[in-house]
Amino acid sequence: MNEEQVFQQIALVRKATLKILDGITEEQADLQPKGFANNIRWNLGHIVAAQNGMVAKFAGIPVETPPRFFQLFAPGTKPADWEGGVPTLDELKKHLEHQPELLQEALTGKLDDEAAEEFLSMKTVGEILNFTLYHEGVHTGTIKAIKAQTYQK
C-alpha cells in the first residue's frame, strides 16, 4: 500500500466516524448506558488523543493536540472523573475533521521510517499509523453500540 492510499484510508475511516455523529446532541454524547465504560464524547476524544499520541510517541512528531485531551481521554480515564474543561461536541468534531490533514502534513514521506520503538511487532511509522485505523474502528463500533442501546424506542 502506498502512502497516498494510507492517507485516503484515514480520510475514509474518519468520514465514516463523523457520519455516525449525525443527529447526536450534547446530552446524548454524555449518556453512558449500563455495561459501557465510557460515553460517546469520551470515545471521540480518545480517537483524537490516541492517534496523535501514537504518532508523537512512535514517529517522534508531535501533532497539534490540546493538552487537556490527554488528561481527559487517555486510556484508563473516564467521564466520571472529569472536572470541567470538557470539549463540546462541536469542538471534538472539528478536531476529528482536521486531524487527517494534520497527520498527512506531519507524516508525508515518513511512513517507511523506523518507529522509535516497536509496537505490537510493528516496526515502521506507517504500520503503526495503519493500526490506528483499527483502533478507530473499535471505538466507532462502541459509539454505534451506545447509540443503539441509548436510542432504542
Side-chain angles (χ1 to χ4, degrees):
M1 181 177 286
N2 69 35
E3 189 172 88
E4 183 179 341
Q5 289 171 320
V6 171
F7 293 122
Q8 286 174 351
Q9 281 293 115
I10 290 169
L12 178 71
V13 168
R14 186 53 52 85
K15 185 176 179 179
T17 298
L18 288 164
K19 180 71 177 150
I20 293 166
L21 303 180
D22 287 351
I24 292 181
T25 66
E26 291 287 336
E27 180 181 272
Q28 292 166 332
D30 290 326
L31 295 175
Q32 187 174 330
K34 185 176 181 175
F36 289 88
N38 291 297
N39 57 31
I40 290 172
R41 187 181 313 274
W42 183 91
N43 279 278
L44 296 171
H46 180 71
I47 290 168
V48 173
Q51 197 167 38
N52 287 353
M54 291 184 80
V55 168
K57 179 176 181 175
F58 296 106
I61 300 169
V63 179
E64 183 182 326
T65 313
R68 185 96 171 112
F69 274 43
F70 296 113
Q71 296 167 343
L72 296 169
F73 306 119
T77 61
K78 58 186 181 291
D81 295 336
W82 292 345
E83 294 181 11
V86 179
T88 66
L89 196 52
D90 280 342
E91 289 173 305
L92 288 169
K93 285 180 186 177
K94 285 179 184 163
H95 283 285
L96 288 162
E97 288 168 354
H98 296 297
Q99 190 177 32
E101 70 187 60
L102 294 174
L103 291 170
Q104 186 167 359
E105 288 171 13
L107 296 174
T108 294
K110 298 176 174 73
L111 298 187
D112 290 326
D113 290 358
E114 187 175 326
E117 62 184 84
E118 193 173 300
F119 175 72
L120 300 176
S121 77
M122 293 174 264
K123 297 177 181 173
T124 69
V125 170
E127 289 172 324
I128 294 168
L129 184 61
N130 272 331
F131 170 82
T132 69
L133 296 175
Y134 161 78
H135 178 263
E136 183 165 341
V138 168
H139 287 281
T140 55
T142 299
I143 292 167
K144 285 181 178 182
I146 291 172
K147 280 180 69 173
Q149 179 95 14
T150 305
Y151 311 128
Q152 289 178 351
K153 301 275 181 194

